[in-house]
Amino acid sequence: MSGFEKHMADVLRSHEVAPPAGLDAQVFAALDGAGASAGRSLVGRRLGGAGLGALLLVSFGWYFGTMPAEAPVVPAVAESAVSAVSEEVLATPESAAEAVVLDRMNSAAPAEAQAENAAPEPAVALAAKPTGVRRTEPSTSSAAQPVAVAPLEQRSVAGIEDGKANGSDKMLMETPEEPEGVWRMKARVNVKED
Amino acid sequence: MEAELLELIRICKTGNRRGQTRLYERFTPMLYAVALRYTNTQVDATDVLQEAWVKIFRHLDSFTEHNSFEGWMRRIVINTAITHYRRNLKHVHHADIDEVHATPADFAAFKESDFTAEELMQAIAELPKGYGMVFQMYIIEGYKHKEIAEMLGIDLNTSKSQLSRARRYLQEVLERMSRRAQPLPMAAEETKKKTIQ
């Protein structure tokens, strides 16, 4: 360091400049503000934590409190029939899937003719697709009562391609025999009348 | 450390506002000069000093009486100024290094009495920000390159090269200032003639 640099350092180190007016007020206001905000943040953290916990408790309480005592009854019409067909189809190699369906359709053809003569075609409950996966309130009318559905063999099954029962058409159904809150995924099979 | 200052610090540690005001009034002109040197603008210097005073009062308990109180406060101001500089780095435009024309002249060419403190501050303010910081920290505050590198978050060699460039740059600035202070020979002749007439 040269002599000039030392001189410069001495001069500047001891140099003083008058601060702008009002800086003291700003400093002490900031000091008070910093203390207050620190206190606020501490209290806020504590209250916030407690509040969040309380909110979670209330939410869970409300959720479980409003749940129906029994699991909602979803019409399980033709469920076993659908399962039987879909499982069989799914278990069959892709190329043979259509053959399986056609075979079952052909073998049931005489029975279908008899059924047509005997009684009018009942409503097909499978057409009623649940909206989303939301819970449904137990219904006292149609849901509680079993709906008669013609045997699946009497119908032609459409929408089964490539050995899969319309993979995109899967839907979630909650069934009465399952424990509460357990959802089973089932394949939906479109049933088309001839 | 003088007993009066120690007592004042002790009072301030209790949060006494009158004691804090006395401490503020005593050291603010010196600290404001430091802040002004590192920021170059009054607005930034005011911001830095305000933030630094809050830190000083809030962390007064961590100050041990064996150390220099002035040095401790000065360091807080410098660190705050560095933080402020980094925060606003995207707004700072550095001069291209190629624009700095190195001259072999030495600071020895300047006389100590040639410049006032204000002129020296003005010369330092003309340095590119990065150079100015390294120069002040090394020459005025007496930090080592290792400390400067750590504080500024730069490489050790960068600190050294920036100091070298700052010296060259400052030489130019001081030379320009001294040339400006001297009357031009032609102009002096003209003035002389007019006075005689």
Side-chain angles (χ1 to χ4, degrees):
Chain A
M1 196 188 296
S2 68
F4 184 78
E5 283 177 338
K6 279 179 187 166
H7 163 72
M8 185 188 263
D10 290 340
V11 169
L12 292 178
R13 214 177 287 136
S14 57
H15 185 55
E16 293 186 347
V17 179
L23 180 60
D24 53 344
Q26 284 180 37
V27 167
F28 291 115
L31 188 64
D32 293 340
S37 72
R40 269 202 304 275
S41 65
L42 184 65
V43 171
R45 275 199 298 273
R46 286 179 180 166
L47 285 178
L52 185 64
L55 186 66
L56 282 171
L57 279 174
V58 167
S59 301
F60 279 118
W62 173 82
Y63 181 75
F64 289 112
T66 53
M67 275 178 69
E70 293 178 3
V73 178
V74 176
V77 215
E79 185 184 310
S80 57
V82 172
S83 299
V85 172
S86 59
E87 278 166 21
E88 189 177 354
V89 168
L90 289 171
T92 313
E94 290 182 8
S95 59
E98 197 174 347
V100 168
V101 175
L102 289 173
D103 182 45
R104 297 195 65 171
M105 281 167 59
N106 292 335
S107 64
E112 185 184 12
Q114 285 175 11
E116 273 178 357
N117 293 329
E121 188 72 19
V124 179
L126 279 172
K129 182 179 179 181
T131 54
V133 292
R134 284 182 298 180
R135 288 174 172 278
T136 53
E137 289 297 319
S139 168
T140 53
S141 57
S142 61
Q145 298 166 358
V147 180
V149 176
L152 199 68
E153 286 80 7
Q154 295 176 11
R155 302 161 186 283
S156 66
V157 180
I160 300 178
E161 294 170 4
D162 300 327
K164 292 177 183 173
N166 264 358
S168 60
D169 243 344
K170 286 175 183 171
M171 60 184 180
L172 291 173
M173 296 175 69
E174 193 175 36
T175 55
E177 66 269 15
E178 295 290 355
E180 192 172 288
V182 174
W183 297 81
R184 279 171 53 193
M185 180 172 279
K186 296 195 177 302
R188 173 175 161 233
V189 177
N190 293 329
V191 179
K192 190 176 77 179
E193 291 178 27
D194 285 328
Chain B
M1 200 185 300
E2 56 182 293
E4 190 195 344
L5 180 59
L6 280 175
E7 182 58 27
L8 188 56
I9 292 168
R10 222 167 282 139
I11 291 169
C12 288
K13 281 181 180 177
T14 64
N16 183 292
R17 181 50 53 92
R18 286 184 67 181
Q20 289 175 337
T21 308
R22 277 176 59 200
L23 196 72
Y24 170 88
E25 286 170 353
R26 178 168 171 175
F27 289 103
T28 291
M30 181 268 291
L31 295 178
Y32 185 63
V34 175
L36 207 52
R37 267 197 283 118
Y38 280 86
T39 56
N40 293 346
T41 66
Q42 283 194 351
V43 176
D44 289 342
T46 307
D47 285 349
V48 165
L49 191 57
Q50 178 182 315
E51 204 178 325
W53 267 119
V54 172
K55 285 180 188 172
I56 289 168
F57 285 131
R58 288 183 63 79
H59 297 95
L60 208 52
D61 284 330
S62 66
F63 170 72
T64 49
E65 294 169 357
H66 308 291
N67 298 323
S68 160
F69 185 62
E70 198 178 307
W72 182 75
M73 288 193 300
R74 193 184 274 270
R75 192 169 180 119
I76 288 177
V77 173
I78 292 167
N79 282 336
T80 309
I82 290 170
T83 307
H84 188 270
Y85 164 71
R86 279 183 180 165
R87 206 182 292 149
N88 299 305
L89 199 58
K90 57 186 172 190
H91 305 303
V92 176
H93 301 285
H94 289 280
D96 194 345
I97 292 169
D98 294 334
E99 290 175 12
V100 182
H101 302 289
T103 53
D106 187 27
F107 280 117
F110 304 111
K111 291 176 188 170
E112 291 179 1
S113 55
D114 282 353
F115 305 96
T116 62
E118 282 75 18
E119 285 170 333
L120 291 174
M121 278 191 74
Q122 192 192 327
I124 286 175
E126 285 192 34
L127 290 175
K129 208 67 180 289
Y131 300 172
M133 283 221 165
V134 173
F135 182 83
Q136 290 186 78
M137 290 171 83
Y138 188 86
I139 302 290
I140 300 168
E141 318 300 341
Y143 290 122
K144 305 289 176 205
H145 279 299
K146 195 183 170 193
E147 291 174 297
I148 295 169
E150 281 171 5
M151 288 169 81
L152 290 177
I154 57 174
D155 190 64
L156 188 77
N157 290 323
T158 307
S159 174
K160 287 179 182 175
S161 64
Q162 289 212 342
L163 176 67
S164 170
R165 286 175 187 144
R167 277 176 163 149
R168 290 179 200 168
Y169 207 104
L170 196 62
Q171 282 170 23
E172 274 209 351
V173 173
L174 291 173
E175 278 175 1
R176 200 168 60 236
M177 286 173 77
S178 56
R179 275 200 301 271
R180 217 181 293 155
Q182 291 170 359
L184 293 170
M186 289 296 289
E189 280 294 313
E190 287 292 317
T191 313
K192 197 175 179 182
K193 280 178 189 173
K194 280 181 183 174
T195 313
I196 293 166
Q197 285 170 359

